[in-house]
Structures are given as C-alpha cells and as structure tokens.
Amino acid sequence: MASNDASTGSGPVETAIREKLTTLLQPIELTITNDSWQHRHHAPMRAQGGGSGETHFSVQVVSDTFQGKNTLQRHRMIHSALSDEFAQGLHALSLKAKTPEEVQST
Amino acid sequence: MFRSAFRASTSISLAARRTAASRRTALSPGLQLARRYLSDDAKQKIQQAVESTPVVVFMKGTPDLPQCGFSRAVVQVLDLHGVSPEKMKTYNVLEDSELRTSIKEFSDWPTVPQVYINGEFVGGCDIILGMHQSGELENMLEKAEVIPKIESDSPPQSSSS
C-alpha cells in the first residue's frame, strides 16, 4: 500500500488495467487516470478507511476493436476484461471508448 | 425501501426471461462465478422493479441527497430533461446491501448508478452523459413517452420524420 504514489507512480491495479486492456484491445491510444483521491470522502470509501488509493479510474481508449459496437457493448468488453479488479475493490471506471475514425471526426 | 416495494412480486414476462438469458451467455468467467449468488427471487424482484416505472435508477443516496457524484450527475441530467417524479423511481443501493450486489449481476454491469428505461438497461453515468450530449437521451425519453416530444426544437442531427 505504501508504495502507491497517487501523483506519479502506477499502483498494481492501474498496471493490471493497462496490461489487460492492451491485450484485449490493442489500443492505438490508452490513457488511464487515477481519480481515487477525489473520492476518498464519499460514503463507501469512508467505510474502507478512504479506500486503497486505487478505486476510481478514468480510461480513454482508442481501438479498432470497437468498430461496429455501440457504447454499451464497448463498456461491457472492458468490464469483462477487468472483472477480477472489480471483484477486488475497483469501484468506478469512467470510460471513453472510441474508434480511430470517431476520434478524427470530432 | 427496496424490499417493501417488492413484496408483491409475482411473475416475470417471457420476453424478460429471454433478455436475461441472452445476457447470461455473454459473460466473462469472473462474472459467471459471481452470478451464482443472484437468487431467482432477487432476480424477479429487480425485473419487476425495472418494469414498474418508465425510468428506474439504481443509485447511491437519493435524488435530494446523492451520496456519489456519478449518481448525482445521472439524476441531474434526467431532471434537466424534465422527467417527472411519477415516471421515475430511484433505489438507494446503500440502504440495501443485497440489492447492491444483486443489481450488478442482474445488469451484468459492475458499477452504480444504473439507468433503466422501459425495462431496458441503458447504461451508467458515462453512457447517460454521452447520450445527453449527443441528443440520444432526449430521443429515447421521447420515444419511451417519458417526456413529451418537442417538434419545433429538435436537436440538429435528428431527422424530420
């Protein structure tokens, strides 16, 4: 726990998210942000003494594998890949999942 | 709150069973393991809940006192579209630990909040906010007859059908 540095280093959960999503999606772009510090005071985190420091993440990912899938399906793909992390205390995951074409058109 | 609202549970529709069954096939091993804990009883109660009101939100806290920013955002967006209280029901998962675990399995969705419109799972906070920005949410709420259609002031990308 003490080795987690919220500002710079990646903790084990973040590393696992990165590895699993890289394998699953072969992303062109993958940005993972740890937002856990913003949520230390909300009720479920207080119950765990502020949480582990790796409870809330934002993920922005661009991948060809999202082609032909709607947002719900894309999110489900990611959730399935991270079911272990969710089972072990990952609490919230904010997702932006796009195809390369969608990124260009915005 | 959740339990008392469900006491009158009886049966679920065939269509609903089919949806639940098709959901089950697409699960990851981890979630399949978790699903074992969802009793038929709990499943039926949730199915009834999501079909009882046009818009159903499973959230942390209440609309007046949300306990989580994601839940607050979802409730605010629905409020902004003028979803009236009688067309929307919210369940506070923090008040019911059984609901809190079973709803995740029921929807095959690991986080709260969760929004259902006309018995169909729509998504969590990101999806609702995204659909709000694209105009999709408004269309969906209009189609579901949750909010009245506004003909003259439709979003730019919608067709004039």
Side-chain angles (χ1 to χ4, degrees), chain B:
Chain B
M1 183 165 130
F2 176 72
R3 284 195 193 100
S4 59
F6 284 156
R7 237 163 239 155
S9 76
T10 47
S11 65
I12 62 170
S13 72
L14 260 180
R17 273 178 207 276
R18 237 176 284 132
T19 328
S22 66
R23 269 191 209 121
R24 222 169 293 139
T25 55
L27 288 178
S28 68
L31 286 171
Q32 252 159 5
L33 196 71
R35 186 165 293 274
R36 277 193 221 140
Y37 302 108
L38 180 60
S39 66
D40 286 347
D41 184 46
K43 209 186 299 173
Q44 281 193 18
K45 286 174 177 172
I46 295 174
Q47 188 65 48
Q48 275 221 326
V50 300
E51 288 174 355
S52 68
T53 320
V55 180
V56 176
V57 183
F58 297 91
M59 63 179 289
K60 288 176 179 164
T62 61
D64 291 332
L65 206 64
Q67 296 286 317
C68 156
F70 302 107
S71 290
R72 173 181 287 132
V74 160
V75 164
Q76 280 180 346
V77 163
L78 291 169
D79 183 51
L80 188 137
H81 283 286
V83 177
S84 62
E86 59 271 22
K87 298 228 166 169
M88 177 165 98
K89 187 156 176 60
T90 66
Y91 291 96
N92 180 1
V93 303
L94 296 179
E95 274 185 357
D96 187 337
S97 62
E98 191 193 343
L99 173 64
R100 190 173 171 184
T101 39
S102 48
I103 189 60
K104 293 178 183 178
E105 295 169 39
F106 180 85
S107 309
D108 185 20
W109 197 259
T111 52
V112 170
Q114 298 183 4
V115 178
Y116 279 79
I117 296 179
N118 280 356
E120 284 288 320
F121 179 62
V122 180
C125 182
D126 286 330
I127 290 181
I128 294 294
L129 293 193
M131 288 173 69
H132 164 60
Q133 279 156 4
S134 70
E136 237 180 304
L137 181 65
E138 190 178 2
N139 285 340
M140 188 182 264
L141 290 169
E142 285 178 355
K143 269 198 199 125
E145 293 174 1
V146 173
I147 56 172
K149 265 201 169 61
I150 300 172
E151 302 293 347
S152 56
D153 198 21
S154 52
Q157 76 272 29
S158 73
S159 65
S160 58
S161 59

Side-chain angles (χ1 to χ4, degrees), chain A residues 39 42-44 46 56 71-73 75-76 79-81 83-84 86 90-96, chain B residues 23 26-31 60 67-70 94 100 107-111 121-123 126-127:
Chain A
H39 300 272
H42 91 200
R46 270 206 311 270
H56 294 65
T71 313
L72 196 66
Q73 291 167 326
H75 286 210
R76 284 204 198 280
H79 290 157
S80 301
S83 57
D84 290 344
F86 276 109
L90 175 58
H91 186 82
L93 195 60
S94 178
L95 297 174
K96 284 202 173 70
Chain B
R23 269 191 209 121
L27 288 178
S28 68
L31 286 171
K60 288 176 179 164
Q67 296 286 317
C68 156
F70 302 107
L94 296 179
R100 190 173 171 184
S107 309
D108 185 20
W109 197 259
T111 52
F121 179 62
V122 180
D126 286 330
I127 290 181

